[in-house]
Amino acid sequence: MLDSFTEVLNENGLITGFAIVGITMLISYILSDKLTKGRLNGSAIAIIIGLILAYLGGISTGGEKGLADIQMFSGIGLMGGGMLRDFAIVATAFEADFRELKNAGWAGVISLFAGLIISFIIGVVIALTFGYTDPVDLTTIGAGTATYIVGPVTGTAIGASSEVIALSVAAGLVKSVLTMIGTPLVAKYISLDNPRTALVFGGLMGTTSGVSAGLAATDIKLVPYGAMTATFFTGLGVLLCPSVLFIATKAIFG
């Protein structure tokens, strides 16, 4: 019976992968609700669980693809591959409406560029302090500091190693979690209590999951505004980090 069940899972790797991710998301959102009352978004908990499982999978098999090195979980490797990743990014971008961005005015547009460039520079500085000097590594980690989506996309585009790409994801995850926790604590000090400031805040911080969870803990009505500019932030990062910002980094450190 068990052998037959295992064989079915092995032969349907992608379906098994979707099932595991779905169960992980369910558990993560239950933990988010029960343990943090929603302040730490379920997606962040799911990412942390995913990183732990990937580490344990890599340790147990001595492989290079984390949990996907185990045959039963090989479909997760396909889910995390470039094809579905790019599809997810495009799907996210389709939720954005340029007419709504215009409502934010120049402040919203400036916040997008300022937030991206400041995050990128902070990431590059942190990478330098840890001894990274190659422009490809610096750009990938800087892009990851923008968001944990922009980092892997940039790293893949410019040929970064898998270790550096993993670091970029970790940098983006730390930013996302800090944004979730810190937003309700600083909201009243930065007048984060209306749609306009929520739009600017989303553009400055960029991380959609972090901004959404942070605003949800502050005022649920502000979530759509912050999430919208944060979504644009990701699109802008995917556009500028592997191109303009990589060229600039290479000109300085190449």
Side-chain angles (χ1 to χ4, degrees), residues 118-187:
I118 291 172
S119 295
F120 183 85
I121 291 174
I122 291 174
V124 170
V125 171
I126 292 174
L128 285 170
T129 60
F130 280 90
Y132 290 94
T133 56
D134 185 86
V136 172
D137 296 342
L138 294 173
T139 303
T140 302
I141 295 174
T145 309
T147 78
Y148 54 73
I149 293 177
V150 177
V153 172
T154 301
T156 303
I158 61 178
S161 66
S162 58
E163 291 81 5
V164 172
I165 291 176
L167 280 176
S168 74
V169 174
L173 178 61
V174 170
K175 176 184 177 182
S176 179
V177 172
L178 291 177
T179 303
M180 291 176 192
I181 298 172
T183 299
L185 300 177
V186 302

Side-chain angles (χ1 to χ4, degrees), residues 25 28-29 31-33 36-49 146-149 169-187 190 192 201-202 204-219 223 227 230:
M25 292 298 294
S28 300
Y29 274 90
L31 293 175
S32 170
D33 183 52
T36 71
K37 297 187 183 302
R39 286 184 171 82
L40 184 59
N41 193 275
S43 60
I45 296 176
I47 291 170
I48 294 171
I49 293 175
T147 78
Y148 54 73
I149 293 177
V169 174
L173 178 61
V174 170
K175 176 184 177 182
S176 179
V177 172
L178 291 177
T179 303
M180 291 176 192
I181 298 172
T183 299
L185 300 177
V186 302
I190 58 175
L192 188 55
F201 181 74
L204 284 172
M205 301 310 297
T207 165
T208 305
S209 58
V211 168
S212 299
L215 290 178
T218 304
D219 183 349
V223 172

Side-chain angles (χ1 to χ4, degrees), residues 66-159:
L67 202 61
D69 284 321
I70 301 174
Q71 185 181 358
M72 183 186 301
F73 305 126
S74 59
I76 294 177
L78 179 59
M79 287 185 67
M83 181 180 66
L84 289 180
R85 180 202 61 203
D86 294 344
F87 175 78
I89 293 170
V90 172
T92 302
F94 266 110
E95 295 178 2
D97 188 339
F98 279 97
R99 292 171 298 182
E100 296 295 336
L101 183 62
K102 288 174 62 177
N103 293 335
W106 282 107
V109 176
I110 292 172
S111 70
L112 279 173
F113 284 92
L116 176 64
I117 293 173
I118 291 172
S119 295
F120 183 85
I121 291 174
I122 291 174
V124 170
V125 171
I126 292 174
L128 285 170
T129 60
F130 280 90
Y132 290 94
T133 56
D134 185 86
V136 172
D137 296 342
L138 294 173
T139 303
T140 302
I141 295 174
T145 309
T147 78
Y148 54 73
I149 293 177
V150 177
V153 172
T154 301
T156 303
I158 61 178

Side-chain angles (χ1 to χ4, degrees), residues 218-233:
T218 304
D219 183 349
I220 193 70
K221 295 178 181 177
L222 300 179
V223 172
Y225 301 99
M228 181 174 60
T229 45
T231 301
F232 276 106
F233 182 103

Side-chain angles (χ1 to χ4, degrees), residues 6 13 24 26 30 59-61 92 126 205 221:
T6 303
T24 304
L26 177 62
I30 291 175
I59 292 295
S60 63
T61 64
T92 302
I126 292 174
M205 301 310 297
K221 295 178 181 177

